[in-house]
């Protein structure tokens, strides 16, 4: 099927690509508040609405807290709902994030990952979404602009699946992807319609069948509702795969929860999120030319955490480096590191592992930084241990 | 893969011209990547932008530290280009916005095999459209030397990017710079 | 959608599987709660003084003042909790709180 399709190649920035996907998804309501580096997404969407290319209610709220609250109301009314934010904006949404997932509203949100204050910084890191990781949202990560477009379309399919009905975030690295022009292949409007037809939200507000929304639950029922959320999020991996299979049949591009690269025979495996994955792959290929076997694992789905799949790729690893673009201050390590540690322990896998905190506030992870990192890993493997558990990679030190 | 680093000042269209080059290269069937370096966004402050063009998909998502091409849009920065050629490859190219003053440039810090090209962007734009625009003339010179993307494709992208008489104006200065770029060796 | 048995939920017979998602329950469960048993005093309307102004109907926090076909009002004693707001706001002093 994909061979017969005419190629529709475009060059777009990550922000433009996500806005284009939301337009093709024919969203009914967009409620947002501008914040760099996400602003171009909603700017584009407001233009599509103003030019009559998209029939949607575009609502500029007075804050991100209100924007997401509006999205919840719209989603309950049965509207296909989209928003996007970053950094402080996501932080301001925080209490509403929990409400969106526990009220089972299939909202799609793009997050242009950006550092948190202070000091003020508008550049990329993952501190914003890591604060939101325990909110019951499905969190997806794009490695490039094509993936940002594809995952936005898939996010609607996943969020609106009647077995799931949960909000989904699509994360892309601020500036590195949001403001990068890259080539991508797009679907036709008709293909998108086929892929994500508007299906009625099963609990939509309906005067002929009134439901109770946002109920209060006392100690005798609250825990049962939370157990429901626990159970339903566990269905997300299979819903993701279903959404991916259909997407692959239409687009020819397929996605899995993880992107293992050269892991089968790797002596050292590096795990990360976002745009860094592709730079790591490029560097890993160069190391393989010198017979140094590095494997790279990216997580397309970060929440729920693809525990089983992680075990499958790490089972036989001899040395693991986790790259964290955020830190859990006062905690055991960076958020991804902590997740991997728990997964390994639960599955009785004892292997040398360390956390590498990098790229905070947009600090570029240069190829030379990666080469030094890889060299460090091989040296540590040789002596059989890391000399630290948490490295701050690329920080100026004396 | 060819890696290009653009230098100029805020307001001179540094980011725009890198963006236009990447979009043109993609339209020509190549893989390309453009990304700006966002410092303080003030008019007049030094600004960088980066373009990668390749026949293969581009995976690297970090900055360009060893460019094949350094292209300086600002005239003053072109006259004192030394700080901006940092990391230039040994056989790299430098594009400067200079006219007759190009003869006195100090080549001592350039790698010996590097080539210097000049475009008199000020003269071209003032003569053709009556006001100084530097970014599009520099692009005209660059695509002539790189032999891609074709002028037709760049013009198509310019037509989508600008509207009204700005399209014609930009195409005029693009073409003239394409014809007048000088190879100083 | 899950088939919900409201009576069982009210009776405390449920698990996380039988509760509606996020508590989005179809049948208004408040009908099952006969809050009229909570009263200590009940409002009694002197219909001869009532001007059908409906101020009590507006103020009642439990929708326990019923509008009748003649435009007047009656108290729904199945649900009235006896809070006394109706007696307080009645401009004609037509409602009195009487011990149960």
């Amino acid at each position: 099927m994909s061979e017969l399709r005419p190629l529709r190649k475009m060059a777009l920035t990550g922000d433009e690509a996500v806005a284009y996907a939301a337009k093709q998804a024919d969203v009914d309501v967009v409620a947002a508040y501008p914040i760099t580096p996400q602003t171009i997404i909603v700017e584009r969407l407001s233009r599509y609405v103003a030019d009559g290319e998209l029939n949607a209610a575009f609502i500029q709220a007075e804050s991100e807290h209100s924007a997401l609250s509006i999205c919840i109301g719209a989603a309950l009314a049965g509207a296909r709902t989209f928003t996007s934010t970053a950094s402080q904006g996501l932080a301001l949404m925080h209490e509403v994030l929990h409400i969106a997932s526990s009220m089972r509203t299939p909202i799609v949100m793009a997050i242009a990952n950006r550092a948190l204050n202070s000091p003020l910084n508008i550049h990329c890191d993952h501190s914003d979404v890591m604060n939101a990781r325990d909110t019951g949202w499905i969190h997806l990560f794009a490695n490039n602009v094509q993936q940002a477009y594809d995952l936005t379309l898939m996010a609607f399919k996943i969020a609106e699946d009647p077995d799931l009905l949960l909000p989904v975030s699509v994360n892309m690295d601020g500036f590195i992807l949001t403001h990068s022009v890259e080539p991508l292949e797009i679907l036709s409007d008709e293909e998108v319609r086929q892929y994500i037809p508007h299906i009625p939200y099963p609990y939509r507000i309906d005067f002929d069948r009134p439901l109770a929304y946002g109920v209060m639950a006392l100690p005798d029922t609250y825990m049962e509702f939370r157990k429901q959320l626990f159970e339903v999020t566990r269905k997300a991996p299979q819903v993701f795969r279903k959404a991916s299979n259909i997407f692959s049949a239409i687009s020819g591009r397929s996605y899995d929860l993880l992107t293992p690269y050269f892991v089968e025979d790797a002596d050292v495996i590096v795990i990360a999120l976002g745009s860094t994955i592709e730079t790591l792959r490029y560097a890993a290929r160069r190391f393989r030319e010198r017979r140094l076997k590095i494997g790279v694992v990216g997580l397309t789905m970060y929440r729920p955490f693809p525990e089983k799949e992680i075990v499958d790729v790490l089972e036989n690893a001899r040395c693991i480096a986790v790259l964290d673009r955020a830190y859990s201050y006062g905690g055991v390590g960076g958020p991804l590191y902590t997740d991997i540690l728990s997964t390994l322990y639960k599955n009785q896998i004892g292997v040398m592992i360390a956390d590498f905190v990098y790229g905070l506030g947009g600090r570029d992870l240069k190829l030379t930084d990666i080469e030094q990192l890889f060299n460090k890993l091989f040296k540590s493997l040789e002596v059989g241990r890391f000399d630290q558990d948490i490295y701050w990679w690329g920080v100026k030190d004396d | 893969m060819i890696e290009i680093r653009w230098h100029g000042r805020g307001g001179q269209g540094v980011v725009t011209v890198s963006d236009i080059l990447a979009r043109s290269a993609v339209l020509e069937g190549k893989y390309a990547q453009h990304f700006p370096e966002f410092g303080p966004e003030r008019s007049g402050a030094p600004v960088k932008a980066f373009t990668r063009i390749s026949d293969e998909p581009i995976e690297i998502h970090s900055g360009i530290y060893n460019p094949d091409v350094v292209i300086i849009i600002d005239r003053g920065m072109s006259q004192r280009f030394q700080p901006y050629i940092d990391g230039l490859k040994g056989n790299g190219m430098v594009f400067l916005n200079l006219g007759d003053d190009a003869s006195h440039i100090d080549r001592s810090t350039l790698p010996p095999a590097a080539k210097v090209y000049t475009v008199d962007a000020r003269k071209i734009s003032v003569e053709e459209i009556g006001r100084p625009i530097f970014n599009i003339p520099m692009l005209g010179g660059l695509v002539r030397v790189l032999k891609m993307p074709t002028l037709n494709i760049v013009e198509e992208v310019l037509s989508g990017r600008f509207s009204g008489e700005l399209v014609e104006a930009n195409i005029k200065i693009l073409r003239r710079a394409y014809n007048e770029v000088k190879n100083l060796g | 959608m899950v088939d919900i048995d409201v009576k069982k939920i009210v009776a405390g017979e449920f698990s996380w599987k039988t509760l509606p998602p996020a508590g989005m329950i179809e049948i208004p469960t408040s009908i099952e709660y006969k809050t009229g048993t909570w009263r200590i005093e009940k409002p009694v309307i002197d219909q001869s003084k009532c001007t059908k102004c409906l101020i009590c109907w507006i103020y009642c926090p439990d929708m326990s003042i019923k509008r009748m076909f003649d435009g007047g009002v009656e108290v729904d004693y199945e649900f009235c909790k006896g809070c006394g707001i109706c007696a307080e706001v009645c401009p004609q002093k037509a409602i009195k709180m009487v011990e149960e």
Side-chain angles (χ1 to χ4, degrees):
Chain A
M1 182 172 175
S2 53
E3 286 83 4
L4 299 174
R5 306 175 46 242
L7 282 180
R8 275 174 287 269
K9 214 163 188 190
M10 288 176 101
L12 297 175
T13 64
D15 275 352
E16 290 170 344
V18 167
Y20 198 80
K23 175 180 101 109
Q24 288 188 303
D26 190 26
V27 293
D28 301 307
V29 173
V30 178
Y33 186 81
I35 183 168
T36 302
Q38 159 286 140
T39 307
I40 301 164
I41 300 176
V42 285
E43 230 171 62
R44 284 294 154 113
L45 284 168
S46 75
R47 192 190 298 170
Y48 289 141
V49 172
D51 291 351
E53 289 180 56
L54 172 65
N55 181 18
F58 183 92
I59 304 161
Q60 181 171 327
E62 73 272 30
S63 77
E64 287 87 353
H65 188 284
S66 307
L68 190 56
S69 303
I70 292 165
C71 287
I72 291 176
L76 290 174
R80 180 170 278 174
T81 305
F82 178 85
T83 185
S84 68
T85 192
S87 182
Q88 307 300 126
L90 186 63
L92 187 54
M93 276 183 185
H94 193 82
E95 65 164 333
V96 195
L97 292 172
H98 290 271
I99 296 168
S101 59
S102 51
M103 285 188 74
R104 305 290 294 280
T105 51
I107 297 164
V108 171
M109 170 160 69
I111 304 176
N113 301 116
R114 163 181 153 182
L116 291 172
N117 297 355
S118 170
L120 178 78
N121 179 292
I122 57 168
H123 292 270
C124 173
D125 73 35
H126 297 156
S127 307
D128 52 5
V129 64
M130 288 305 163
N131 273 356
R133 69 182 173 153
D134 297 335
T135 55
W137 282 59
I138 312 298
H139 294 297
L140 308 177
F141 274 83
N143 299 347
N144 56 38
V145 171
Q146 177 79 66
Q147 290 189 8
Y149 170 83
D150 290 349
L151 291 177
T152 302
L153 294 177
M154 279 174 59
F156 287 103
K157 190 79 173 170
I158 296 165
E160 293 170 7
D161 191 303
D163 286 339
L164 203 65
L165 301 177
L166 281 176
V168 178
S169 86
V170 178
N171 290 269
M172 60 173 164
D173 286 345
F175 289 110
I176 304 169
L177 295 181
T178 59
H179 287 62
S180 266
V181 173
E182 287 183 9
L184 74 158
E185 204 192 305
I186 57 156
L187 301 188
S188 69
D189 292 352
E190 184 48 39
E191 284 167 330
V192 173
R193 258 196 297 278
Q194 263 176 39
Y195 180 55
I196 39 172
H198 281 270
I199 48 168
Y201 177 60
Y203 302 99
R204 71 193 167 282
I205 294 167
D206 180 348
F207 289 108
D208 293 330
R209 193 200 60 165
L211 298 177
Y213 296 96
V215 295
M216 182 169 107
L218 295 174
D220 62 339
T221 45
Y222 180 82
M223 209 161 155
E224 281 67 28
F225 288 120
R226 288 283 142 175
K227 167 78 169 165
Q228 287 180 343
L229 191 59
F230 166 79
E231 290 290 341
V232 75
T233 49
R234 285 150 70 100
K235 291 185 190 164
Q238 86 202 42
V239 171
F240 177 95
R241 289 210 173 94
K242 200 165 77 184
S244 168
N245 288 341
I246 306 169
F247 185 77
S248 159
I250 296 171
S251 69
R253 294 184 296 279
S254 60
Y255 289 87
D256 209 342
L257 306 176
L258 299 183
T259 56
Y261 186 73
F262 281 145
V263 291
E264 292 78 15
D265 64 341
D267 292 316
V268 167
I269 293 182
V270 185
I271 306 172
L273 296 165
S275 64
T276 307
I277 294 299
E278 295 207 322
T279 319
L280 286 170
R281 286 181 179 203
Y282 177 86
R285 270 206 308 282
R286 298 224 294 211
F287 264 62
R288 284 202 167 239
E289 287 162 14
R290 291 161 41 198
R291 294 178 198 283
L292 292 168
K293 291 174 183 165
I294 294 248
V296 179
V297 177
L299 282 78
T300 304
M301 180 185 275
Y302 175 65
R303 278 291 182 273
F305 195 71
E307 196 182 315
K308 192 187 146 300
E309 291 73 15
I310 288 279
V311 171
D312 289 345
V313 296
L314 295 187
E315 227 164 12
N316 302 315
R318 298 172 60 207
C319 172
I320 298 169
V322 182
L323 269 64
D324 262 304
R325 202 162 198 157
Y327 197 71
S328 167
Y329 297 95
V332 175
L336 185 56
Y337 173 71
T338 316
D339 286 323
I340 302 278
L341 275 189
S342 312
T343 305
L344 294 175
Y345 185 79
K346 260 174 92 172
N347 292 277
Q348 282 133 39
I349 301 168
V351 56
M352 56 183 287
I353 180 168
D355 192 10
F356 292 83
V357 180
Y358 78 102
L360 301 188
R363 172 75 47 90
D364 196 13
L365 189 70
K366 305 173 195 166
L367 274 175
T368 49
D369 297 327
I370 295 177
E371 279 163 15
Q372 280 164 21
L373 170 71
F374 286 0
N375 286 332
K376 172 81 188 169
L377 300 181
F378 280 105
K379 247 181 230 152
S380 306
L381 181 62
E382 245 175 66
V383 296
R385 60 180 196 85
F386 285 109
D387 51 6
Q388 288 175 42
D389 56 346
I390 296 151
Y391 297 88
W392 279 59
W393 208 249
V395 79
K396 291 168 184 113
D397 206 344
D398 51 28
Chain B
M1 179 163 68
I2 180 163
E3 296 187 309
I4 300 161
R5 195 171 67 206
W6 300 80
H7 292 268
R9 295 192 179 279
Q12 291 175 340
V14 180
V15 174
T16 304
V17 70
S18 171
D19 180 311
I20 288 169
L21 174 60
R23 285 180 207 246
S24 306
V26 170
L27 202 58
E28 197 168 86
K30 303 217 179 278
Y31 292 91
Q33 192 187 53
H34 143 75
F35 53 101
E37 181 198 68
F38 279 91
E41 293 178 35
R42 294 166 303 178
S43 191
V47 174
K48 277 188 249 182
F50 307 91
T51 326
R52 288 191 172 98
I53 302 174
S54 172
D55 294 325
E56 308 284 325
I58 298 167
E59 287 174 302
I60 304 178
H61 283 97
S62 60
I64 292 174
Y65 300 95
N66 297 111
D68 299 279
V69 178
V70 166
I71 180 159
I72 303 175
I73 289 173
D74 181 66
R75 203 167 186 86
M77 288 164 79
S78 290
Q79 281 157 352
R80 291 174 299 279
F81 63 86
Q82 286 77 8
Y84 309 107
I85 57 164
D86 187 40
L88 180 71
K89 281 191 184 144
N91 58 351
M93 296 180 252
V94 182
F95 284 77
L96 302 174
N97 171 8
L98 295 175
D100 298 335
D101 45 348
S103 48
H104 336 282
I105 61 164
D106 170 16
R107 299 186 62 128
S108 59
T109 54
L110 274 173
K115 284 205 171 79
V116 178
Y117 298 89
T118 59
V119 175
D120 197 346
R122 184 187 177 82
K123 182 167 170 238
I124 290 171
S125 55
V126 169
E127 283 181 13
E128 292 296 325
I129 61 174
R131 62 199 179 92
I133 290 176
F134 300 155
N135 60 347
I136 300 300
M138 296 311 290
L139 178 64
L142 178 72
V143 301
R144 169 76 180 270
V145 173
L146 295 183
K147 300 189 178 65
M148 61 102 199
T150 64
L151 269 190
N152 281 345
I153 280 180
V154 178
E155 287 169 12
E156 194 181 326
V157 172
L158 286 175
S159 310
R161 181 78 180 215
F162 300 107
S163 54
E165 52 190 33
L166 265 184
V167 177
E168 270 317 300
N170 275 299
I171 288 176
K172 248 188 205 168
I173 54 180
L174 176 83
R175 284 185 188 167
R176 182 155 162 206
Y178 182 89
N179 291 322
E180 292 187 5
V181 58
K182 278 191 191 131
N183 180 355
L184 299 192
Chain C
M1 279 177 74
V2 204
D3 234 349
I4 306 295
D5 189 335
V6 178
K7 287 216 169 87
K8 279 194 171 170
I9 293 175
V10 172
E13 294 165 29
F14 59 85
S15 79
W16 65 269
K17 287 178 195 156
T18 58
L19 280 178
M24 293 185 280
I25 200 159
E26 189 162 354
I27 305 158
T29 52
S30 54
I31 286 173
E32 302 294 323
Y33 277 107
K34 307 293 182 194
T35 48
T37 58
W38 299 11
R39 275 195 313 271
I40 296 166
E41 292 182 319
K42 65 175 179 184
V44 175
I45 302 171
D46 182 346
Q47 296 289 358
S48 66
K49 288 188 187 166
C50 174
T51 61
K52 302 175 183 179
C53 71
L54 297 180
I55 286 177
C56 59
W57 175 74
I58 290 166
Y59 272 86
C60 176
D62 279 304
M63 292 195 286
S64 294
I65 300 286
K66 297 185 286 189
R67 283 183 74 178
M68 309 312 285
F69 286 108
D70 68 354
V73 290
E74 279 183 14
V75 179
D76 186 342
Y77 290 112
E78 272 202 313
F79 294 100
C80 168
K81 294 171 185 161
C83 71
I85 286 175
C86 52
E88 192 65 30
V89 298
C90 177
Q92 298 300 315
K93 307 278 177 232
I95 306 176
K96 272 205 173 61
M97 297 305 290
V98 180
E99 206 172 324
E100 279 285 339

